[in-house]
Amino acid sequence: SGATTLTIPPNSNVAYPVGTRIDLIQIGVGQVTVAGGTGVTVNATPTLKLRAQHSGASCIKIATDTWVLLGDLASS
């Protein structure tokens, strides 16, 4: 029920191949936030937070330490 932050680790710690997709679902009422670890960029519009309970999103690796988050994201 509490808020959760999912941190995407740097490529030096976990070498996911480019094109890797991580699917997320906010099961409870606590908001899920995605963050990049040291040196990791996560791009999204409008925020890096899922909008509400049962919202879904995908985080896709597009370069060595660059990811894109898309889905049902919060406006602020």
Side-chain angles (χ1 to χ4, degrees), residues 1-27:
S1 65
T4 301
T5 298
L6 171 76
T7 302
I8 303 293
N11 193 72
S12 59
N13 288 5
V14 182
Y16 292 111
V18 171
T20 295
R21 175 178 152 168
I22 299 171
D23 294 323
L24 310 169
I25 300 171
Q26 183 174 311
I27 299 295

Side-chain angles (χ1 to χ4, degrees), residues 36-49:
T38 302
V40 176
T41 300
V42 181
N43 297 302
T45 298
T47 67
L48 294 173
K49 297 179 179 187

